[in-house]
Amino acid sequence: MSARDQIAALEAGMGRAIVGQRDVIRRLIIGLLANGNLLVEGLPGLAKTRAIKALAKNLEADFSRIQFTPDLLPADVTGTDMLYRSNQGSEFRFHPGPIFANIVLADEINRAPAKVQSALLEAMEERQVTVAGKTHPLPPLFMVMATQNPIEQEGTYPLPEAQLDRFLMHVLISYPPVEDEVEVIELVRNEEIAAIDGGTDAGTDSEISPEKGNKATNTTAGKQTVDVIPQQAVFDARREIAAIHVSHPMARYMADLVEATRHPGERSPDLARWIEIGASPRGSIALDKAGRANAWLEGRDYVDPLDIHAVIHDCLRHRLGLSFEAQGEGISADRAIDTLLKVVALP
């Protein structure tokens, strides 16, 4: 299969395990293809963990979950040197931490102190870990999905703006429609029945063999066999995405959108009241990366404004510093971005 077919199969495989969160699935795929990391915010029980597990299950990838707590230490994330003794003597050997995986779930990242958050974000940015003066590279395929809970903020350590800026996208998850929730009930019920029977129901989930990249063996009637998507498909897709055409007017449009957040008074009096701190150049880079990935997923070999509009809220909402006046009026970052799209001329 082509890279496009394999990524489509990956997205379809995730869709079989998750109901009512199509936007989240698409954002995860975009983050994977754009070689970026995602910050996902939503109330408990909205399939944040399930989504990243579904991605890891359908992809040839090692999965690791880190539950962030106030007593976590940086070494619990990155790993540490340990002393080994033998008849030949003693030596320190590096024992890698859970960050050394292809797909890492950083669950409730805002519950850990800044020292631990920094250790994770350094790995995200540099794609390497330095312990005791030695640098240890992370796998070529590496993605972090960090989650945070918008409620129960007591005892948490909110990420500062400089750290938020390192995430490619900030994805918000809302409650699913009632029709989708009915499907969720049926999906979970069928999975429970399959677990009791010791098998996998064909209509809900798929059995994947422990050997990565190989087709699962169909040994029981009713089980569905699928191919685990190889990592090479992601690298091939990234190569094609790198060749997506971005015209100069489109590049200027992305730069104008970000520049307007820095000088909002020149565009709109409302934006001048609402935005206190604009987006950094990482905002422009995120629009370019995510926009090209979205265009590729839509089957185009060029980026148009629809691609930018599809990802701009996720790329900029965590990069805008809203004023006290905006917060007092209940103005969200998404509302400011909606206004931004109206006042910045299309290319």
Side-chain angles (χ1 to χ4, degrees), residues 111-122:
R111 291 202 177 277
K115 187 184 297 184
V116 180
Q117 294 177 8
S118 298
L120 174 69
L121 294 171
E122 178 186 8

Side-chain angles (χ1 to χ4, degrees), residues 248-263 267 284 287 312 316 340 343-347:
H248 180 75
M250 278 305 308
R252 180 57 188 263
Y253 180 54
M254 289 184 272
D256 284 344
L257 286 167
V258 174
E259 192 276 337
T261 68
R262 303 168 190 160
H263 305 94
R267 303 282 183 168
S284 303
L287 286 177
I312 187 171
L316 295 187
L340 187 71
V343 298
V344 176
L346 290 168

Side-chain angles (χ1 to χ4, degrees), residues 22 110 143 165 200 206 217 224 237 264 268 299 325 345:
R22 288 289 177 183
N110 57 333
M143 176 184 179
D165 198 27
T200 304
S206 302
T217 304
Q224 182 183 12
S268 164
E325 185 176 356

Side-chain angles (χ1 to χ4, degrees), residues 91-343:
E91 64 174 339
F92 281 98
R93 299 178 191 170
F94 178 67
H95 184 75
I99 194 67
F100 286 86
N102 300 122
I103 298 177
V104 179
L105 171 61
D107 214 357
E108 295 191 284
I109 185 176
N110 57 333
R111 291 202 177 277
K115 187 184 297 184
V116 180
Q117 294 177 8
S118 298
L120 174 69
L121 294 171
E122 178 186 8
M124 290 165 45
E125 185 78 7
E126 305 296 334
R127 304 301 172 97
Q128 63 185 26
V129 169
T130 302
V131 176
K134 293 183 180 179
T135 299
H136 306 274
L138 292 169
L141 179 65
F142 178 74
M143 176 184 179
V144 171
M145 190 183 98
T147 70
Q148 62 180 15
N149 190 340
I151 61 175
E152 298 178 2
Q153 295 303 313
E154 184 176 353
T156 62
Y157 304 83
L159 274 68
E161 287 74 10
Q163 292 182 345
L164 286 173
D165 198 27
R166 300 193 181 201
F167 287 96
L168 178 73
M169 295 192 291
H170 179 194
V171 182
L172 299 181
I173 302 182
S174 58
Y175 288 117
V178 65
E179 295 83 3
D180 289 338
E181 193 149 355
V182 173
E183 292 187 40
V184 171
I185 295 171
E186 296 174 349
L187 174 66
V188 174
R189 185 196 308 131
N190 290 334
E191 288 178 346
E192 289 177 353
I193 294 172
I196 292 172
D197 293 340
T200 304
D201 186 83
T204 58
D205 210 346
S206 302
E207 184 181 86
I208 297 176
S209 63
E211 185 176 356
K212 295 178 181 179
N214 292 341
K215 180 177 284 189
T217 304
N218 188 358
T219 58
T220 304
K223 291 185 180 180
Q224 182 183 12
T225 59
V226 297
D227 284 319
V228 178
I229 305 302
Q231 291 187 16
Q232 189 59 44
V234 178
F235 298 135
D236 292 341
R238 288 177 180 175
R239 190 175 298 109
E240 294 179 12
I241 290 170
I244 293 289
H245 177 66
V246 181
S247 66
H248 180 75
M250 278 305 308
R252 180 57 188 263
Y253 180 54
M254 289 184 272
D256 284 344
L257 286 167
V258 174
E259 192 276 337
T261 68
R262 303 168 190 160
H263 305 94
E266 299 176 3
R267 303 282 183 168
S268 164
D270 285 336
L271 290 178
R273 291 190 300 109
W274 296 343
I275 300 179
E276 190 171 276
I277 302 174
S280 74
R282 283 197 182 103
S284 303
I285 294 170
L287 286 177
D288 177 65
K289 288 184 175 181
R292 282 186 285 117
N294 191 79
W296 185 85
L297 288 169
E298 294 296 330
R300 290 191 296 273
D301 60 357
Y302 62 92
V303 174
D304 71 11
L306 291 177
D307 299 309
I308 304 305
H309 295 178
V311 301
I312 187 171
H313 292 83
D314 303 288
C315 290
L316 295 187
R317 65 164 58 99
H318 56 302
R319 292 184 163 96
L320 300 184
L322 299 182
S323 64
F324 285 112
E325 185 176 356
Q327 297 175 40
E329 295 179 10
I331 302 299
S332 66
D334 284 1
R335 171 83 177 275
I337 294 171
D338 288 338
T339 303
L340 187 71
L341 291 172
K342 294 178 182 177
V343 298

